[in-house]
């Protein structure tokens, strides 16, 4: 009887895990550009090129990466959980330094999230990131200009990351 109860309990736990992952929004694969994953088509070619080129320099100098992901919807998933899953699955930033950032935009849900790796939380804590979203992206996003809002917010995040590493310019 004990074996049966343990087996039943194990099956219950496994079925809960399977059902929880079945209802979670699926994480797309990163694009070949890695730093820009615009699955909604809201970013201009110039913005994408700028993000990729600046990230190459940042990564080479520090190991840090700032990745932009746009998806239509999170399908009801919590933005923080979704962003954390993306960061982990994609391996954003240096694994030992944990210095990756993900800028997540889901326009159909009206969601914007910046997930910051622990290695950069001192420079970019939740309160500071919230103020940056308000200052650099919110008005543009409200006006439907996701390109301008993302470009400005990305630039602000890049600037703070560079300050954290004592960089004045990217190589």
């Amino acid at each position: 009887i004990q074996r049966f109860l343990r087996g039943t309990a194990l099956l219950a736990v496994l079925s809960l895990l399977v059902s929880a992952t079945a209802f979670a929004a699926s994480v797309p694969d990163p694009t070949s550009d890695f730093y820009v994953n615009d699955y909604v088509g809201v970013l201009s070619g110039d913005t994408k090129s700028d993000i990729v080129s600046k990230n190459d320099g940042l990564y080479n100098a520090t190991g840090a990466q700032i990745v932009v992901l746009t998806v239509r919807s999170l399908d009801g998933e919590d933005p923080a959980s979704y962003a954390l899953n993306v960061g982990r699955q994609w391996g954003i930033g240096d694994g030992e330094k944990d210095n990756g950032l993900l800028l997540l935009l889901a326009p159909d849900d009206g969601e914007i999230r910046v997930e910051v790796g622990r290695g950069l939380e001192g420079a970019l804590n939740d309160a500071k990131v919230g103020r940056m979203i308000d200052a650099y992206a919110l008005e543009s996003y409200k006006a439907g200009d996701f390109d301008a809002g993302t470009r400005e917010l990305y630039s602000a995040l890049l600037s703070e990351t560079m300050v954290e590493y004592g960089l004045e310019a990217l190589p």
Side-chain angles (χ1 to χ4, degrees), residues 111-133:
E111 293 289 349
I112 174 74
R113 173 78 187 181
V114 175
E115 192 65 34
V116 179
R118 290 180 192 222
L120 288 171
E121 283 180 339
L124 290 161
N125 61 46
D126 289 343
K128 186 173 198 172
V129 168
R131 288 190 303 272
M132 292 170 78
I133 290 170

Side-chain angles (χ1 to χ4, degrees), residues 16 30 33 46 55-56 64-65 83 94 109 114 120 124-126 134-135 152:
L16 282 173
D33 288 331
D46 286 345
N55 258 300
D56 283 337
Q65 295 173 317
D94 181 278
D109 298 338
V114 175
L120 288 171
L124 290 161
N125 61 46
D126 289 343
D134 290 348
E152 293 300 315

Side-chain angles (χ1 to χ4, degrees), residues 12-98:
V13 168
L14 288 175
S15 68
L16 282 173
L17 289 172
V18 168
S19 63
T21 56
F23 292 112
S26 63
V27 172
D29 291 329
T31 64
S32 59
D33 288 331
F34 186 69
Y35 298 119
V36 181
N37 303 271
D38 183 18
Y39 289 103
V40 183
V42 295
L43 303 178
S44 69
D46 286 345
T47 296
K48 291 177 186 180
S49 295
D50 191 47
I51 290 171
V52 170
S53 69
K54 287 179 178 172
N55 258 300
D56 283 337
L58 179 67
Y59 182 71
N60 290 334
T62 67
Q65 295 173 317
I66 304 172
V67 174
V68 176
L69 170 61
T70 69
V71 294
R72 272 260 155 246
S73 172
L74 302 177
D75 298 324
E77 188 169 346
D78 171 63
S81 298
Y82 187 88
L84 191 59
N85 287 336
V86 170
R88 287 181 176 156
Q89 287 183 31
W90 291 7
I92 299 171
D94 181 278
E96 289 180 25
K97 295 178 183 176
D98 196 7

